């Protein structure tokens, strides 16, 4: 009877998850979750016909194309004051400061206010703006969207990111450029920076602790009962887990929609002076933030990965990492003998790595590469007893590989295994180890728990053991999938995707029809950025050099 009930629970939850997935994602992928056999059929890549291959996607919109498209817009999201200058440019939230947002809100709301209130609001406006300019925030406390750094939709930094990894990446790039001591006035913080930073602190201070609380609650409070007696397996614990998973996924989707909308449409009309203040540091206030030499050394070697010019670290092979580490150790060796010993050990290790073969498709796909249906299945399936969690995630990851036409008998040497594959294997190994520890430990202590204890120690310990995985390894993996080694940047600048943003800020433009750009509202001819002398951001030598912090080649406040 107990076995039948457990099977019924599993089937019910899986079917419910499938229905929710189909309702939430009404596309072809939602059907795949129900038609399991069509997803897990392995098809060798060589047997795929041209008709079966997906059509090539159009190239992603570049940084310059996005800025030019927004500049042509004639309908800003925020209304402008009547006394605004005629010569303004339509910009996204990347160049819309909080001072501009405040002015716009005052201009739009004041006409509808009572006369006394309107007079008080307008009288306080200069004082509030002075306070916004006086209050400063450390630049390291502000998170930047990868698109504002130069990344496009097809660059890895826009896909493999979390609030924590995004803050780490922007912080490392600021440290590399020597901007860690900059203080940004609140008035100069951009709308995009405000959205990203607010989500970072909401995620860290509210969502992450709430997730831990939801996971711990069933092991501290008796939530085994349910609202429907005839469906006794539908417990409050299950409803809490599924409900919070839906809320978490919904909030993430809302944030993503707001974040993209702020950067992909005209938010406000601004003058050149206001645009130059976007993200600009204070001229009077400078912080003294010591950075550990190890962190500075790491930052000096990294750039924002670019799908065309700078291969992400995650796509490099383990052999490349071992070789590079050996070369760094040799450079720091105290004498020639130590240098030869390090070189010999490196050669021996590389030789051994060539002899070890790994069936790399038996490593489940990284959860960040799953589609929406697979992600929802993992969220909701976590409520399935025994199977939910690591076992289900492994099955989903393997099913994803099969759906991509992978063959489980295909092997590669450890020498050629990528960093991402190795970290994904470590992720699932740790995930499964914690799951087994928690499940077996709880089973062994079940009589004690049922004997009067209200706390399941192994379940609670397992939740805390998962924290380094969720907020440690996953964040680290996002960082290395979003960043590249500066020496690998084929543009020669060592900037990776940032080169697009730096070039645009310096006035460098790719050849486009002049009629396609109409950045000004004024009919009076003016000197546009495209008519300024082109300033190359490339280094003078063939080796990547640190970016010059000159005002002509850097975007203000970046």
């Amino acid at each position: 009877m107990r076995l039948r009930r457990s099977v019924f629970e599993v089937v019910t939850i899986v079917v419910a998850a499938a229905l929710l997935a189909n309702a939430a994602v009404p596309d072809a992928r939602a059907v795949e979750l129900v038609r399991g056999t069509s997803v897990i059929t392995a098809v060798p890549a060589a047997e795929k016909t041209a008709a079966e291959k997906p059509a090539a996607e159009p190239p992603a919109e570049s940084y310059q194309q996005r800025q030019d498209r927004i500049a042509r817009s004639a309908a800003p999201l925020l209304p402008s004051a009547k006394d605004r200058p005629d010569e303004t440019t339509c910009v996204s939230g990347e160049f819309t400061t909080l001072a501009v947002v405040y002015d716009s809100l005052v201009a739009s709301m004041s006409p509808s206010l009572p006369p006394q209130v309107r007079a008080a609001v307008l009288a306080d406006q200069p004082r509030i703006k002075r306070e916004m300019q006086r209050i400063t925030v450390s630049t390291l406390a502000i998170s930047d969207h990868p698109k504002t750094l130069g990344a496009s939709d097809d660059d890895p930094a826009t896909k493999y990111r979390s609030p924590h990894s995004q803050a780490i990446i922007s912080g490392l790039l600021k440290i590399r450029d020597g901007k860690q001591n900059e203080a940004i006035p609140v008035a100069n913080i951009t709308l995009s920076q405000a959205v990203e930073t607010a989500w970072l602190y909401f995620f860290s201070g509210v969502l992450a602790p709430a997730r831990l609380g939801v996971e711990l609650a069933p092991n501290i409070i008796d939530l085994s009962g349910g609202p429907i007696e005839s469906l006794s397996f539908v417990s409050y614990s299950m409803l809490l887990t599924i409900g919070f998973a839906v809320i978490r996924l919904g909030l993430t989707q809302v944030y993503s929609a707001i974040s993209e909308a702020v950067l992909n449409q005209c938010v406000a009309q601004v003058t050149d002076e206001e645009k130059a203040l976007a993200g600009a540091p204070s001229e009077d206030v400078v912080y003294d933030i010591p950075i550990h030499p190890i962190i500075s050394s790491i930052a000096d070697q990294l750039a924002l990965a670019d799908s065309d010019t700078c291969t992400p670290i995650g796509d490099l092979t383990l052999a490349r990492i071992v070789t590079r580490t050996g070369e760094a150790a040799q450079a720091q060796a105290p004498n020639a003998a130590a240098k030869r010993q390090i070189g010999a050990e490196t050669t021996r290790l590389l030789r051994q790595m060539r002899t070890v073969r790994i069936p790399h498709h038996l490593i489940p796909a990284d959860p960040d590469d799953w589609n929406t249906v697979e992600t929802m299945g993992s969220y909701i399936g976590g409520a399935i007893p025994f199977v939910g969690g690591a076992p289900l995630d492994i099955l989903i990851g393997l099913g994803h590989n099969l759906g991509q036409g992978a063959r489980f008998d295909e092997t590669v040497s450890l020498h050629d295994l990528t960093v991402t594959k190795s970290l994904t294997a470590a992720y699932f190994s740790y995930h499964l180890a914690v799951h087994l520890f928690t499940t077996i430990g709880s089973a062994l202590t079940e009589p004690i728990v049922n004997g009067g204890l209200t706390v399941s120690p192994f379940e609670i310990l397992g939740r805390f053991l998962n924290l380094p995985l969720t907020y440690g390894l996953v964040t680290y993996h996002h960082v290395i999938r979003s960043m590249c080694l500066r020496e690998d940047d084929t543009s020669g600048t060592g900037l990776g995707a940032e080169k697009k943003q730096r070039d645009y800020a310096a006035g460098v433009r790719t050849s486009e029809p002049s009629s396609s750009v109409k950045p000004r509202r004024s009919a009076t001819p003016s000197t546009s950025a495209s008519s300024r002398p082109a300033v190359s951001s490339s280094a003078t030598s063939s080796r990547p050099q640190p970016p010059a912090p000159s005002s002509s080649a850097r975007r203000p406040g970046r």
Side-chain angles (χ1 to χ4, degrees):
M1 183 68 182
R2 185 175 180 181
L3 178 61
R4 290 177 57 191
R5 177 180 173 182
S6 298
V7 172
F8 185 62
E9 290 179 11
V10 171
V11 172
T12 302
I13 295 175
V14 170
V15 172
L19 293 176
L20 285 173
N22 278 277
V25 189
D27 58 15
R29 295 181 302 177
V31 184
E32 294 177 356
L33 190 61
V34 179
R35 296 191 210 152
T37 55
S38 65
V39 176
I40 61 174
T41 303
V43 180
E47 297 179 6
K48 289 185 178 181
T49 62
E52 293 174 334
K53 294 182 179 179
E57 296 183 0
E61 186 179 45
S62 68
Y63 184 88
Q64 176 186 327
Q65 290 171 340
R66 179 166 59 87
Q67 302 299 341
D68 291 344
R69 171 179 57 80
I70 294 172
R72 294 194 299 270
S73 176
L77 183 64
L78 297 176
S80 301
K82 295 181 179 179
D83 58 349
R84 297 279 293 167
D86 290 336
E87 192 173 336
T88 57
T89 306
C90 215
V91 296
S92 68
E94 180 180 353
F95 296 101
T96 304
T97 63
L98 294 186
V100 172
V101 174
Y102 173 70
D103 286 342
S104 176
L105 292 177
V106 171
S108 61
M109 294 175 59
S110 58
S112 60
L113 296 175
Q116 296 85 351
V117 177
R118 179 169 63 250
V121 169
L122 294 178
D124 281 344
Q125 186 175 5
R127 181 185 62 81
I128 293 176
K129 292 190 67 174
R130 285 195 301 269
E131 288 298 310
M132 293 176 67
Q133 193 67 38
R134 183 183 65 84
I135 300 173
T136 59
V137 180
S138 170
T139 185
L140 295 181
I142 296 176
S143 181
D144 293 288
H145 194 287
K147 282 188 176 181
T148 66
L149 302 175
S152 304
D153 284 327
D154 58 355
D155 288 329
T158 59
K159 178 180 181 181
Y160 303 110
R161 66 188 182 100
S162 65
H164 296 142
S165 67
Q166 183 172 288
I168 291 173
I169 291 171
S170 59
L172 287 172
L173 295 177
K174 292 170 185 175
I175 293 171
R176 183 200 66 188
D177 296 341
K179 301 178 181 179
Q180 67 272 14
N181 293 326
E182 290 182 348
I184 300 181
V186 172
N188 293 354
I189 295 176
T190 68
L191 183 59
S192 175
Q193 289 176 329
V195 169
E196 301 303 324
T197 305
W199 175 249
L200 168 66
Y201 292 119
F202 176 79
F203 183 91
S204 303
V206 178
L207 209 55
R211 177 180 178 180
L212 179 61
V214 168
E215 293 175 346
L216 291 176
N219 306 303
I220 300 176
I221 305 172
D222 185 11
L223 298 176
S224 58
I228 305 175
E229 294 184 0
S230 58
L231 297 176
S232 58
F233 65 90
V234 181
S235 63
Y236 290 113
S237 174
M238 179 190 300
L239 294 177
L240 180 64
T241 301
I242 296 177
F244 182 76
V246 173
I247 291 174
R248 180 161 60 102
L249 186 61
L251 288 175
T252 303
Q253 294 299 323
V254 170
Y255 150 72
S256 299
I258 295 175
S259 178
E260 291 297 319
V262 164
L263 290 175
N264 287 322
Q265 64 177 322
C266 175
V267 174
Q269 293 275 1
V270 300
T271 63
D272 288 343
E273 292 76 14
E274 290 171 331
K275 186 175 181 180
L277 290 175
S282 171
E283 297 179 355
D284 305 320
V285 181
V286 177
Y287 294 128
D288 183 13
I289 301 178
I291 304 296
H292 197 281
I294 294 179
I295 297 178
S296 298
S297 175
I298 292 173
D300 289 342
Q301 303 174 55
L302 300 176
L304 194 65
D306 185 274
S307 57
D308 297 323
T309 64
C310 204
T311 303
I313 299 174
D315 290 347
L316 302 180
T317 64
L318 293 181
R320 169 72 187 284
I321 302 302
V322 170
T323 301
R324 195 173 185 274
T325 304
E327 292 173 350
Q330 284 182 307
Q332 299 177 5
N335 51 57
K339 183 178 296 186
R340 286 193 300 270
Q341 184 178 1
I342 294 172
E345 287 297 319
T346 302
T347 303
R348 183 185 63 82
L349 181 58
L350 291 172
R351 184 167 57 250
Q352 291 179 346
M353 291 172 65
R354 289 190 182 93
T355 62
V356 178
R357 306 291 299 182
I358 304 292
H360 61 124
H361 290 311
L362 283 178
I363 300 174
D366 184 355
D368 285 307
D369 292 323
W370 296 353
N371 57 39
T372 306
V373 175
E374 292 166 337
T375 301
M376 290 187 65
S378 174
Y379 280 178
I380 300 174
I384 302 176
F386 304 109
V387 179
L392 180 61
D393 288 351
I394 291 173
L395 291 176
I396 293 175
L398 293 175
H400 182 93
N401 289 344
L402 286 173
Q404 299 296 316
R407 296 180 52 177
F408 287 161
D409 60 347
E410 181 179 296
T411 63
V412 298
S413 66
L414 189 61
H415 182 277
D416 297 325
L417 192 69
T418 63
V419 174
T420 280
K421 278 288 186 179
S422 62
L423 285 179
T424 305
Y427 169 86
F428 282 107
S429 298
Y430 186 95
H431 195 14
L432 182 60
V434 173
H435 176 84
L436 294 176
F437 170 81
T438 304
T439 304
I440 296 173
S442 298
L444 294 176
T445 59
E446 186 175 358
I448 300 176
V449 173
N450 292 338
L453 293 178
T454 58
V455 175
S456 177
F458 281 92
E459 289 286 349
I460 293 176
L461 184 58
R463 303 307 178 190
F464 283 102
L465 287 175
N466 270 327
L467 293 179
L469 183 72
T470 306
Y471 303 109
L473 182 60
V474 172
T475 301
Y476 174 73
H477 199 179
H478 286 157
V479 171
I480 68 167
R481 295 194 79 170
S482 301
M483 305 196 80
C484 63
L485 298 173
R486 300 185 66 190
E487 63 203 51
D488 290 343
D489 183 17
T490 58
S491 70
T493 63
L495 293 172
E498 283 187 288
K499 181 180 182 298
K500 306 168 187 174
Q501 185 269 327
R502 300 288 182 92
D503 283 351
Y504 187 87
V508 178
R509 300 291 186 270
T510 57
S511 56
E512 291 183 354
S514 58
S515 60
S516 65
V517 180
K518 185 183 177 183
R520 302 288 183 180
R521 290 193 304 170
S522 173
T524 306
S526 61
T527 304
S528 65
S530 59
S531 64
R532 288 178 291 187
V535 180
S536 175
S537 61
S538 302
T540 55
S541 64
S542 59
R543 296 181 60 185
Q545 300 294 326
S550 61
S551 59
S552 62
R554 103 176 196 183
R555 170 184 163 186
R558 295 312 252 169

